[in-house]
Amino acid sequence: EVQLVQSGAEVKKSGESLKISCKDSGYTFTNIWIGWVRQMPGKGLEWMGIIYPGDSDTRYSLSFQGQVTISADKSIRTAYLQWSSLKASDSAMYYCARGHIYGRFDYWGQGTLVTVSS
Amino acid sequence: QSALTQPASVSGSPGQSITISCTGTSSDVGAYNYVSWYQQHPGKAPKLIIYEVSNRPSGVSNRFSGSKSGNTASLTISGLQAEDEADYYCTSYTSRSFPLFGGGTKLTVL
């Protein structure tokens, strides 16, 4: 069964860097899209960006362009979401999801809670 | 790009049917048959319940159905059950070659 396993919760300070991961146990990793979704406390879901590990085609929401970097290492079937300088407003739950760019994401990770203190 | 528009909340009694709307534009919902719906229970990851407007993934109850007319997509839940109480989100592919979520709808089963 396909599973996405995300890295554990993080507590960081403003200005610090962070890289969280999403490991895919599915049969294929190179012909699907991995998306990252932010959910701030008590708020809705927001697409941050998506990556096609097969050729590293990466697209970002206008809201997150330049704020985060999405990458993938297909040799270890893992996608990443990273920040170079965290802000308190980055405190949220972050989900990765596996599927198709058209919006059909069948499998989701368990979420990584990021807490940033000022 | 603004989120797709969903009602903040809907409610219904067990056994009833409810419909949640998802309104976009001619650059997203109206342009593509790529509307998906997700169900999210508190503290849980979202779960895909409808894709490509009206298709159900394997294992999803046939009480869930989707449709689209113009720039508005809809999710209908029939035979409402207590376990259906959750948040529901639509998402659509857009002309930016990127998906877009709706703001989410909280379903309360009375």
Side-chain angles (χ1 to χ4, degrees):
Chain A
E1 182 186 343
V2 174
Q3 274 194 316
L4 295 181
V5 179
Q6 297 185 229
S7 49
E10 301 274 2
V11 179
K12 305 292 267 186
K13 290 186 165 60
S14 289
E16 291 186 330
S17 62
L18 175 64
K19 190 173 188 177
I20 62 175
S21 65
C22 170
K23 186 168 178 61
D24 185 345
S25 67
Y27 183 70
T28 58
F29 185 65
T30 53
N31 65 348
I32 49 83
W33 290 83
I34 298 288
W36 285 97
V37 174
R38 183 176 79 173
Q39 187 167 39
M40 299 180 77
K43 302 297 184 182
L45 304 174
E46 302 172 88
W47 290 109
M48 302 175 70
I50 49 176
I51 186 167
Y52 189 78
D55 62 6
S56 295
D57 181 2
T58 308
R59 306 177 190 187
Y60 295 92
S61 162
L62 290 175
S63 301
F64 293 93
Q65 181 87 43
Q67 307 304 307
V68 297
T69 301
I70 291 170
S71 60
D73 184 339
K74 55 188 179 185
S75 69
I76 55 171
R77 313 169 68 82
T78 301
Y80 302 97
L81 174 65
Q82 69 180 88
W83 295 259
S84 59
S85 181
L86 287 160
K87 302 185 284 287
S89 57
D90 292 319
S91 295
M93 180 70 81
Y94 294 89
Y95 293 102
C96 64
R98 180 184 194 272
H100 303 277
I101 191 172
Y102 305 119
R104 177 185 176 180
F105 284 80
D106 297 79
Y107 301 98
W108 290 68
Q110 82 277 19
T112 296
L113 182 64
V114 174
T115 303
V116 184
S117 62
S118 51
Chain B
Q1 193 165 9
S2 299
L4 304 174
T5 300
Q6 297 181 231
S9 63
V10 298
S11 62
S13 300
Q16 288 186 330
S17 294
I18 62 95
T19 296
I20 299 172
S21 61
C22 170
T23 301
T25 69
S26 57
S27 295
D28 39 66
V29 175
Y32 308 98
N33 287 324
Y34 291 128
V35 176
S36 299
W37 290 88
Y38 294 87
Q39 176 192 62
Q40 186 182 34
H41 286 107
K44 300 293 187 182
K47 173 188 173 184
L48 178 71
I49 55 173
I50 294 287
Y51 67 94
E52 291 172 14
V53 176
S54 59
N55 294 296
R56 280 187 310 276
S58 174
V60 172
S61 171
N62 59 9
R63 297 186 299 105
F64 294 91
S65 61
S67 62
K68 191 187 89 165
S69 177
N71 294 339
T72 298
S74 298
L75 171 71
T76 298
I77 308 174
S78 59
L80 211 54
Q81 298 179 0
E83 68 207 47
D84 299 332
E85 186 162 294
D87 293 325
Y88 291 85
Y89 296 89
C90 63
T91 187
S92 175
Y93 188 65
T94 75
S95 59
R96 282 197 63 247
S97 301
F98 195 84
L100 179 66
F101 274 119
T105 298
K106 182 177 180 59
L107 169 62
T108 300
V109 180
L110 302 170

Short mmCIF file of all heavy atoms in Angstrom, two decimals, chain B residues 37-101:
data_model
loop_
_atom_site.label_atom_id
_atom_site.label_comp_id
_atom_site.label_asym_id
_atom_site.label_seq_id
_atom_site.Cartn_x
_atom_site.Cartn_y
_atom_site.Cartn_z
N TRP B 37 -12.70 16.92 -4.62
CA TRP B 37 -13.22 17.26 -3.29
C TRP B 37 -12.49 16.42 -2.24
O TRP B 37 -12.22 15.22 -2.44
CB TRP B 37 -14.71 16.98 -3.20
CG TRP B 37 -15.56 17.91 -4.00
CD1 TRP B 37 -15.92 17.78 -5.32
CD2 TRP B 37 -16.15 19.13 -3.55
NE1 TRP B 37 -16.71 18.84 -5.71
CE2 TRP B 37 -16.87 19.68 -4.65
CE3 TRP B 37 -16.17 19.81 -2.33
CZ2 TRP B 37 -17.58 20.89 -4.54
CZ3 TRP B 37 -16.88 21.00 -2.24
CH2 TRP B 37 -17.57 21.52 -3.34
N TYR B 38 -12.21 17.07 -1.10
CA TYR B 38 -11.53 16.41 0.01
C TYR B 38 -12.35 16.58 1.28
O TYR B 38 -12.95 17.62 1.51
CB TYR B 38 -10.13 17.01 0.22
CG TYR B 38 -9.20 16.74 -0.94
CD1 TYR B 38 -9.17 17.60 -2.03
CD2 TYR B 38 -8.39 15.62 -0.95
CE1 TYR B 38 -8.34 17.34 -3.11
CE2 TYR B 38 -7.55 15.35 -2.02
CZ TYR B 38 -7.54 16.22 -3.10
OH TYR B 38 -6.72 15.95 -4.17
N GLN B 39 -12.30 15.53 2.07
CA GLN B 39 -12.95 15.52 3.40
C GLN B 39 -11.84 15.54 4.45
O GLN B 39 -10.86 14.80 4.33
CB GLN B 39 -13.78 14.25 3.56
CG GLN B 39 -14.43 14.06 4.92
CD GLN B 39 -14.97 12.64 5.06
OE1 GLN B 39 -14.23 11.66 5.02
NE2 GLN B 39 -16.28 12.52 5.23
N GLN B 40 -11.99 16.40 5.45
CA GLN B 40 -10.99 16.44 6.52
C GLN B 40 -11.67 16.42 7.88
O GLN B 40 -12.40 17.37 8.22
CB GLN B 40 -10.08 17.67 6.39
CG GLN B 40 -8.94 17.65 7.40
CD GLN B 40 -8.06 18.87 7.33
OE1 GLN B 40 -8.52 19.97 7.05
NE2 GLN B 40 -6.76 18.69 7.58
N HIS B 41 -11.42 15.38 8.63
CA HIS B 41 -11.88 15.32 10.01
C HIS B 41 -10.86 16.02 10.90
O HIS B 41 -9.66 16.10 10.56
CB HIS B 41 -12.08 13.87 10.46
CG HIS B 41 -13.29 13.23 9.87
ND1 HIS B 41 -13.22 12.26 8.87
CD2 HIS B 41 -14.61 13.43 10.11
CE1 HIS B 41 -14.44 11.88 8.55
NE2 HIS B 41 -15.31 12.58 9.28
N PRO B 42 -11.29 16.55 12.05
CA PRO B 42 -10.38 17.28 12.94
C PRO B 42 -9.14 16.48 13.29
O PRO B 42 -9.22 15.31 13.67
CB PRO B 42 -11.24 17.54 14.18
CG PRO B 42 -12.64 17.56 13.67
CD PRO B 42 -12.67 16.53 12.57
N GLY B 43 -7.99 17.11 13.13
CA GLY B 43 -6.73 16.48 13.48
C GLY B 43 -6.25 15.42 12.50
O GLY B 43 -5.26 14.75 12.77
N LYS B 44 -6.94 15.29 11.38
CA LYS B 44 -6.57 14.27 10.39
C LYS B 44 -6.15 14.90 9.08
O LYS B 44 -6.46 16.05 8.80
CB LYS B 44 -7.76 13.33 10.13
CG LYS B 44 -8.25 12.59 11.35
CD LYS B 44 -7.24 11.60 11.86
CE LYS B 44 -7.81 10.74 12.97
NZ LYS B 44 -6.80 9.80 13.50
N ALA B 45 -5.46 14.11 8.27
CA ALA B 45 -5.09 14.56 6.93
C ALA B 45 -6.33 14.54 6.03
O ALA B 45 -7.26 13.76 6.26
CB ALA B 45 -4.01 13.65 6.34
N PRO B 46 -6.34 15.37 5.01
CA PRO B 46 -7.46 15.34 4.07
C PRO B 46 -7.55 13.99 3.36
O PRO B 46 -6.55 13.29 3.21
CB PRO B 46 -7.10 16.45 3.06
CG PRO B 46 -6.21 17.36 3.83
CD PRO B 46 -5.41 16.45 4.71
N LYS B 47 -8.77 13.67 2.92
CA LYS B 47 -9.02 12.42 2.19
C LYS B 47 -9.76 12.75 0.90
O LYS B 47 -10.76 13.47 0.92
CB LYS B 47 -9.89 11.48 3.05
CG LYS B 47 -10.33 10.22 2.33
CD LYS B 47 -11.34 9.45 3.16
CE LYS B 47 -11.93 8.27 2.40
NZ LYS B 47 -12.99 7.57 3.17
N LEU B 48 -9.27 12.23 -0.21
CA LEU B 48 -9.92 12.46 -1.51
C LEU B 48 -11.24 11.70 -1.56
O LEU B 48 -11.27 10.49 -1.31
CB LEU B 48 -8.99 11.97 -2.62
CG LEU B 48 -9.52 12.08 -4.05
CD1 LEU B 48 -9.58 13.56 -4.50
CD2 LEU B 48 -8.64 11.28 -5.02
N ILE B 49 -12.32 12.40 -1.91
CA ILE B 49 -13.62 11.72 -2.02
C ILE B 49 -14.23 11.85 -3.43
O ILE B 49 -15.08 11.03 -3.80
CB ILE B 49 -14.62 12.21 -0.96
CG1 ILE B 49 -14.81 13.73 -1.02
CG2 ILE B 49 -14.21 11.77 0.43
CD1 ILE B 49 -15.92 14.25 -0.11
N ILE B 50 -13.82 12.83 -4.19
CA ILE B 50 -14.30 13.00 -5.57
C ILE B 50 -13.14 13.56 -6.39
O ILE B 50 -12.44 14.45 -5.93
CB ILE B 50 -15.49 13.98 -5.66
CG1 ILE B 50 -16.73 13.44 -4.95
CG2 ILE B 50 -15.81 14.32 -7.13
CD1 ILE B 50 -17.44 12.30 -5.67
N TYR B 51 -12.95 13.04 -7.62
CA TYR B 51 -11.97 13.62 -8.52
C TYR B 51 -12.58 13.76 -9.92
O TYR B 51 -13.56 13.08 -10.24
CB TYR B 51 -10.69 12.80 -8.55
CG TYR B 51 -10.85 11.40 -9.15
CD1 TYR B 51 -10.58 11.17 -10.49
CD2 TYR B 51 -11.25 10.33 -8.35
CE1 TYR B 51 -10.73 9.91 -11.04
CE2 TYR B 51 -11.41 9.06 -8.89
CZ TYR B 51 -11.15 8.86 -10.23
OH TYR B 51 -11.29 7.60 -10.77
N GLU B 52 -12.01 14.64 -10.69
CA GLU B 52 -12.50 14.92 -12.05
C GLU B 52 -14.02 15.11 -12.06
O GLU B 52 -14.75 14.46 -12.81
CB GLU B 52 -12.05 13.81 -13.00
CG GLU B 52 -10.56 13.83 -13.22
CD GLU B 52 -10.02 12.63 -14.00
OE1 GLU B 52 -10.82 11.90 -14.61
OE2 GLU B 52 -8.80 12.43 -13.95
N VAL B 53 -14.45 15.99 -11.20
CA VAL B 53 -15.83 16.47 -11.06
C VAL B 53 -16.76 15.47 -10.38
O VAL B 53 -17.47 15.83 -9.44
CB VAL B 53 -16.46 16.90 -12.42
CG1 VAL B 53 -17.93 17.29 -12.24
CG2 VAL B 53 -15.66 18.03 -13.03
N SER B 54 -16.76 14.21 -10.86
CA SER B 54 -17.82 13.31 -10.40
C SER B 54 -17.36 11.87 -10.16
O SER B 54 -18.21 10.99 -9.95
CB SER B 54 -18.96 13.29 -11.43
OG SER B 54 -18.48 12.87 -12.70
N ASN B 55 -16.08 11.63 -10.18
CA ASN B 55 -15.59 10.26 -9.99
C ASN B 55 -15.21 10.00 -8.53
O ASN B 55 -14.59 10.85 -7.89
CB ASN B 55 -14.36 10.02 -10.88
CG ASN B 55 -14.73 10.06 -12.35
OD1 ASN B 55 -15.48 9.24 -12.85
ND2 ASN B 55 -14.20 11.05 -13.05
N ARG B 56 -15.57 8.83 -8.07
CA ARG B 56 -15.25 8.45 -6.69
C ARG B 56 -14.09 7.47 -6.67
O ARG B 56 -14.11 6.47 -7.41
CB ARG B 56 -16.45 7.76 -6.00
CG ARG B 56 -17.51 8.66 -5.47
CD ARG B 56 -18.53 7.85 -4.66
NE ARG B 56 -19.01 6.69 -5.40
CZ ARG B 56 -19.99 6.73 -6.29
NH1 ARG B 56 -20.59 7.88 -6.55
NH2 ARG B 56 -20.38 5.64 -6.92
N PRO B 57 -13.09 7.72 -5.81
CA PRO B 57 -12.02 6.72 -5.65
C PRO B 57 -12.60 5.44 -5.06
O PRO B 57 -13.65 5.45 -4.41
CB PRO B 57 -11.05 7.39 -4.68
CG PRO B 57 -11.39 8.84 -4.71
CD PRO B 57 -12.86 8.90 -5.00
N SER B 58 -11.89 4.36 -5.28
CA SER B 58 -12.30 3.09 -4.70
C SER B 58 -12.43 3.21 -3.18
O SER B 58 -11.57 3.80 -2.52
CB SER B 58 -11.24 2.02 -5.04
OG SER B 58 -11.51 0.81 -4.41
N GLY B 59 -13.51 2.68 -2.65
CA GLY B 59 -13.69 2.69 -1.20
C GLY B 59 -14.50 3.86 -0.67
O GLY B 59 -14.89 3.86 0.50
N VAL B 60 -14.76 4.86 -1.49
CA VAL B 60 -15.56 6.00 -1.05
C VAL B 60 -17.04 5.70 -1.28
O VAL B 60 -17.44 5.22 -2.34
CB VAL B 60 -15.16 7.28 -1.80
CG1 VAL B 60 -16.11 8.44 -1.48
CG2 VAL B 60 -13.72 7.66 -1.45
N SER B 61 -17.83 5.99 -0.27
CA SER B 61 -19.26 5.69 -0.32
C SER B 61 -19.95 6.37 -1.50
O SER B 61 -19.62 7.50 -1.86
CB SER B 61 -19.92 6.17 0.98
OG SER B 61 -21.32 6.09 0.89
N ASN B 62 -20.91 5.65 -2.09
CA ASN B 62 -21.67 6.23 -3.20
C ASN B 62 -22.68 7.26 -2.71
O ASN B 62 -23.46 7.81 -3.50
CB ASN B 62 -22.35 5.15 -4.04
CG ASN B 62 -23.32 4.30 -3.23
OD1 ASN B 62 -23.61 4.61 -2.05
ND2 ASN B 62 -23.81 3.24 -3.81
N ARG B 63 -22.68 7.56 -1.43
CA ARG B 63 -23.50 8.67 -0.91
C ARG B 63 -22.89 10.02 -1.30
O ARG B 63 -23.56 11.04 -1.21
CB ARG B 63 -23.63 8.57 0.60
CG ARG B 63 -24.35 7.32 1.09
CD ARG B 63 -24.57 7.37 2.60
NE ARG B 63 -23.33 7.43 3.36
CZ ARG B 63 -22.89 8.53 3.96
NH1 ARG B 63 -23.58 9.65 3.89
NH2 ARG B 63 -21.77 8.49 4.64
N PHE B 64 -21.63 9.98 -1.71
CA PHE B 64 -20.95 11.19 -2.14
C PHE B 64 -21.01 11.29 -3.66
O PHE B 64 -20.66 10.34 -4.36
CB PHE B 64 -19.48 11.19 -1.70
CG PHE B 64 -19.30 11.24 -0.21
CD1 PHE B 64 -19.20 10.09 0.53
CD2 PHE B 64 -19.23 12.47 0.46
CE1 PHE B 64 -19.03 10.13 1.91
CE2 PHE B 64 -19.06 12.52 1.83
CZ PHE B 64 -18.97 11.35 2.56
N SER B 65 -21.44 12.42 -4.17
CA SER B 65 -21.48 12.62 -5.61
C SER B 65 -21.10 14.05 -5.95
O SER B 65 -21.27 14.96 -5.13
CB SER B 65 -22.87 12.30 -6.18
OG SER B 65 -23.85 13.16 -5.62
N GLY B 66 -20.56 14.23 -7.16
CA GLY B 66 -20.14 15.56 -7.59
C GLY B 66 -20.70 15.91 -8.95
O GLY B 66 -21.01 15.03 -9.75
N SER B 67 -20.80 17.20 -9.18
CA SER B 67 -21.28 17.69 -10.46
C SER B 67 -20.69 19.07 -10.72
O SER B 67 -20.05 19.66 -9.84
CB SER B 67 -22.81 17.75 -10.49
OG SER B 67 -23.28 18.66 -9.51
N LYS B 68 -20.93 19.57 -11.93
CA LYS B 68 -20.43 20.90 -12.27
C LYS B 68 -21.35 21.54 -13.31
O LYS B 68 -21.84 20.85 -14.21
CB LYS B 68 -19.01 20.81 -12.84
CG LYS B 68 -18.29 22.15 -12.98
CD LYS B 68 -16.97 22.00 -13.71
CE LYS B 68 -17.15 22.15 -15.20
NZ LYS B 68 -15.89 22.36 -15.93
N SER B 69 -21.55 22.83 -13.15
CA SER B 69 -22.29 23.60 -14.15
C SER B 69 -21.63 24.96 -14.26
O SER B 69 -21.58 25.72 -13.30
CB SER B 69 -23.76 23.76 -13.74
OG SER B 69 -24.45 24.56 -14.67
N GLY B 70 -21.10 25.24 -15.43
CA GLY B 70 -20.41 26.51 -15.63
C GLY B 70 -19.22 26.65 -14.70
O GLY B 70 -18.36 25.77 -14.65
N ASN B 71 -19.19 27.74 -13.97
CA ASN B 71 -18.07 28.01 -13.07
C ASN B 71 -18.30 27.49 -11.65
O ASN B 71 -17.52 27.81 -10.74
CB ASN B 71 -17.82 29.52 -12.99
CG ASN B 71 -17.35 30.10 -14.31
OD1 ASN B 71 -16.84 29.39 -15.17
ND2 ASN B 71 -17.55 31.41 -14.49
N THR B 72 -19.35 26.71 -11.45
CA THR B 72 -19.66 26.21 -10.11
C THR B 72 -19.72 24.69 -10.08
O THR B 72 -20.43 24.07 -10.86
CB THR B 72 -21.00 26.77 -9.61
OG1 THR B 72 -20.91 28.20 -9.53
CG2 THR B 72 -21.34 26.23 -8.22
N ALA B 73 -18.96 24.12 -9.16
CA ALA B 73 -19.00 22.68 -8.91
C ALA B 73 -19.76 22.45 -7.61
O ALA B 73 -19.88 23.35 -6.77
CB ALA B 73 -17.59 22.12 -8.79
N SER B 74 -20.29 21.25 -7.47
CA SER B 74 -21.07 20.93 -6.28
C SER B 74 -20.76 19.53 -5.78
O SER B 74 -20.51 18.62 -6.57
CB SER B 74 -22.58 21.02 -6.59
OG SER B 74 -22.95 22.32 -6.98
N LEU B 75 -20.78 19.40 -4.47
CA LEU B 75 -20.66 18.10 -3.80
C LEU B 75 -21.97 17.84 -3.09
O LEU B 75 -22.43 18.69 -2.33
CB LEU B 75 -19.51 18.13 -2.79
CG LEU B 75 -19.40 16.90 -1.87
CD1 LEU B 75 -18.92 15.70 -2.67
CD2 LEU B 75 -18.46 17.19 -0.70
N THR B 76 -22.56 16.70 -3.35
CA THR B 76 -23.79 16.32 -2.66
C THR B 76 -23.53 15.09 -1.82
O THR B 76 -22.89 14.12 -2.27
CB THR B 76 -24.92 16.02 -3.67
OG1 THR B 76 -25.21 17.21 -4.42
CG2 THR B 76 -26.18 15.55 -2.96
N ILE B 77 -23.98 15.15 -0.59
CA ILE B 77 -23.90 14.00 0.32
C ILE B 77 -25.33 13.60 0.63
O ILE B 77 -26.11 14.40 1.17
CB ILE B 77 -23.15 14.33 1.61
CG1 ILE B 77 -21.79 14.97 1.30
CG2 ILE B 77 -22.96 13.07 2.45
CD1 ILE B 77 -21.03 15.46 2.53
N SER B 78 -25.69 12.39 0.27
CA SER B 78 -27.05 11.91 0.53
C SER B 78 -27.05 10.97 1.72
O SER B 78 -25.99 10.43 2.09
CB SER B 78 -27.60 11.20 -0.71
OG SER B 78 -26.76 10.12 -1.06
N GLY B 79 -28.20 10.79 2.33
CA GLY B 79 -28.29 9.90 3.49
C GLY B 79 -27.29 10.28 4.56
O GLY B 79 -26.52 9.46 5.05
N LEU B 80 -27.30 11.54 4.94
CA LEU B 80 -26.31 12.10 5.85
C LEU B 80 -26.13 11.23 7.10
O LEU B 80 -27.12 10.75 7.70
CB LEU B 80 -26.75 13.51 6.24
CG LEU B 80 -25.71 14.57 6.55
CD1 LEU B 80 -24.71 14.71 5.43
CD2 LEU B 80 -26.40 15.90 6.82
N GLN B 81 -24.88 11.01 7.48
CA GLN B 81 -24.56 10.24 8.68
C GLN B 81 -23.68 11.07 9.59
O GLN B 81 -22.99 11.98 9.14
CB GLN B 81 -23.84 8.94 8.29
CG GLN B 81 -24.67 8.02 7.41
CD GLN B 81 -23.93 6.74 7.02
OE1 GLN B 81 -22.78 6.52 7.40
NE2 GLN B 81 -24.61 5.88 6.26
N ALA B 82 -23.70 10.71 10.87
CA ALA B 82 -22.92 11.46 11.86
C ALA B 82 -21.44 11.52 11.48
O ALA B 82 -20.78 12.53 11.68
CB ALA B 82 -23.08 10.82 13.24
N GLU B 83 -20.93 10.45 10.89
CA GLU B 83 -19.50 10.38 10.52
C GLU B 83 -19.16 11.32 9.37
O GLU B 83 -17.97 11.54 9.08
CB GLU B 83 -19.14 8.95 10.13
CG GLU B 83 -19.78 8.48 8.83
CD GLU B 83 -19.97 6.99 8.77
OE1 GLU B 83 -20.47 6.43 9.77
OE2 GLU B 83 -19.65 6.39 7.74
N ASP B 84 -20.17 11.89 8.71
CA ASP B 84 -19.90 12.83 7.62
C ASP B 84 -19.54 14.21 8.14
O ASP B 84 -19.09 15.07 7.37
CB ASP B 84 -21.13 12.95 6.69
CG ASP B 84 -21.50 11.63 6.04
OD1 ASP B 84 -20.61 10.78 5.84
OD2 ASP B 84 -22.71 11.44 5.75
N GLU B 85 -19.74 14.43 9.43
CA GLU B 85 -19.40 15.74 9.99
C GLU B 85 -17.90 15.96 9.89
O GLU B 85 -17.10 15.21 10.46
CB GLU B 85 -19.86 15.83 11.45
CG GLU B 85 -19.67 17.21 12.05
CD GLU B 85 -20.50 17.43 13.29
OE1 GLU B 85 -21.75 17.45 13.20
OE2 GLU B 85 -19.90 17.58 14.38
N ALA B 86 -17.53 16.98 9.13
CA ALA B 86 -16.13 17.23 8.80
C ALA B 86 -16.04 18.54 8.02
O ALA B 86 -17.05 19.18 7.75
CB ALA B 86 -15.56 16.08 7.96
N ASP B 87 -14.83 18.89 7.67
CA ASP B 87 -14.61 20.02 6.75
C ASP B 87 -14.44 19.46 5.34
O ASP B 87 -13.82 18.41 5.15
CB ASP B 87 -13.36 20.81 7.14
CG ASP B 87 -13.52 21.51 8.47
OD1 ASP B 87 -14.64 21.96 8.78
OD2 ASP B 87 -12.52 21.62 9.21
N TYR B 88 -14.97 20.19 4.36
CA TYR B 88 -14.90 19.75 2.98
C TYR B 88 -14.26 20.86 2.13
O TYR B 88 -14.62 22.03 2.27
CB TYR B 88 -16.29 19.41 2.44
CG TYR B 88 -16.84 18.16 3.09
CD1 TYR B 88 -17.51 18.23 4.32
CD2 TYR B 88 -16.67 16.92 2.50
CE1 TYR B 88 -17.99 17.09 4.95
CE2 TYR B 88 -17.15 15.77 3.12
CZ TYR B 88 -17.80 15.86 4.33
OH TYR B 88 -18.26 14.72 4.94
N TYR B 89 -13.33 20.45 1.28
CA TYR B 89 -12.61 21.40 0.44
C TYR B 89 -12.70 20.96 -1.03
O TYR B 89 -12.50 19.79 -1.35
CB TYR B 89 -11.13 21.46 0.81
CG TYR B 89 -10.86 21.98 2.20
CD1 TYR B 89 -10.82 21.12 3.29
CD2 TYR B 89 -10.65 23.34 2.43
CE1 TYR B 89 -10.58 21.60 4.57
CE2 TYR B 89 -10.40 23.83 3.70
CZ TYR B 89 -10.37 22.95 4.76
OH TYR B 89 -10.13 23.42 6.03
N CYS B 90 -12.99 21.93 -1.89
CA CYS B 90 -12.88 21.66 -3.32
C CYS B 90 -11.52 22.15 -3.79
O CYS B 90 -10.88 22.99 -3.14
CB CYS B 90 -13.99 22.34 -4.11
SG CYS B 90 -13.99 24.16 -4.03
N THR B 91 -11.07 21.61 -4.89
CA THR B 91 -9.86 22.11 -5.53
C THR B 91 -10.03 21.98 -7.03
O THR B 91 -10.68 21.05 -7.51
CB THR B 91 -8.59 21.38 -5.03
OG1 THR B 91 -7.43 22.03 -5.57
CG2 THR B 91 -8.58 19.93 -5.46
N SER B 92 -9.50 22.91 -7.77
CA SER B 92 -9.61 22.88 -9.23
C SER B 92 -8.26 23.17 -9.85
O SER B 92 -7.47 23.96 -9.32
CB SER B 92 -10.62 23.94 -9.69
OG SER B 92 -10.65 24.02 -11.11
N TYR B 93 -8.01 22.55 -10.97
CA TYR B 93 -6.86 22.91 -11.80
C TYR B 93 -7.15 24.28 -12.39
O TYR B 93 -8.31 24.65 -12.59
CB TYR B 93 -6.69 21.87 -12.90
CG TYR B 93 -5.44 22.00 -13.72
CD1 TYR B 93 -4.19 21.82 -13.13
CD2 TYR B 93 -5.49 22.29 -15.08
CE1 TYR B 93 -3.03 21.93 -13.88
CE2 TYR B 93 -4.35 22.39 -15.83
CZ TYR B 93 -3.11 22.20 -15.24
OH TYR B 93 -1.98 22.32 -15.98
N THR B 94 -6.09 25.04 -12.64
CA THR B 94 -6.29 26.40 -13.15
C THR B 94 -5.45 26.68 -14.38
O THR B 94 -4.56 25.91 -14.73
CB THR B 94 -5.92 27.44 -12.08
OG1 THR B 94 -4.49 27.53 -11.99
CG2 THR B 94 -6.49 27.09 -10.72
N SER B 95 -5.72 27.81 -15.00
CA SER B 95 -4.97 28.21 -16.20
C SER B 95 -3.51 28.51 -15.90
O SER B 95 -2.71 28.68 -16.81
CB SER B 95 -5.64 29.43 -16.84
OG SER B 95 -5.67 30.50 -15.91
N ARG B 96 -3.17 28.60 -14.63
CA ARG B 96 -1.77 28.78 -14.24
C ARG B 96 -1.03 27.45 -14.16
O ARG B 96 0.09 27.38 -13.68
CB ARG B 96 -1.69 29.48 -12.89
CG ARG B 96 -1.91 30.97 -12.93
CD ARG B 96 -1.41 31.63 -11.64
NE ARG B 96 0.03 31.46 -11.48
CZ ARG B 96 0.59 30.73 -10.51
NH1 ARG B 96 -0.16 30.09 -9.64
NH2 ARG B 96 1.91 30.63 -10.42
N SER B 97 -1.72 26.37 -14.58
CA SER B 97 -1.12 25.03 -14.51
C SER B 97 -0.79 24.66 -13.07
O SER B 97 0.26 24.07 -12.79
CB SER B 97 0.14 24.93 -15.38
OG SER B 97 -0.17 25.21 -16.73
N PHE B 98 -1.68 25.03 -12.19
CA PHE B 98 -1.48 24.84 -10.75
C PHE B 98 -2.86 24.69 -10.12
O PHE B 98 -3.81 25.33 -10.56
CB PHE B 98 -0.76 26.07 -10.18
CG PHE B 98 -0.19 25.87 -8.82
CD1 PHE B 98 1.05 25.29 -8.65
CD2 PHE B 98 -0.90 26.27 -7.69
CE1 PHE B 98 1.59 25.10 -7.39
CE2 PHE B 98 -0.38 26.09 -6.42
CZ PHE B 98 0.87 25.51 -6.26
N PRO B 99 -2.99 23.84 -9.09
CA PRO B 99 -4.31 23.69 -8.47
C PRO B 99 -4.62 24.82 -7.49
O PRO B 99 -3.73 25.54 -7.05
CB PRO B 99 -4.19 22.34 -7.75
CG PRO B 99 -2.74 22.20 -7.45
CD PRO B 99 -2.00 22.89 -8.57
N LEU B 100 -5.90 24.94 -7.15
CA LEU B 100 -6.35 25.99 -6.24
C LEU B 100 -7.45 25.41 -5.35
O LEU B 100 -8.37 24.75 -5.85
CB LEU B 100 -6.91 27.16 -7.05
CG LEU B 100 -7.47 28.36 -6.29
CD1 LEU B 100 -6.35 29.08 -5.52
CD2 LEU B 100 -8.15 29.32 -7.25
N PHE B 101 -7.34 25.63 -4.03
CA PHE B 101 -8.35 25.15 -3.10
C PHE B 101 -9.47 26.17 -2.92
O PHE B 101 -9.29 27.37 -3.11
CB PHE B 101 -7.73 24.94 -1.72
CG PHE B 101 -7.10 23.61 -1.50
CD1 PHE B 101 -5.74 23.51 -1.22
CD2 PHE B 101 -7.84 22.44 -1.54
CE1 PHE B 101 -5.14 22.28 -1.02
CE2 PHE B 101 -7.26 21.20 -1.34
CZ PHE B 101 -5.90 21.12 -1.08
#
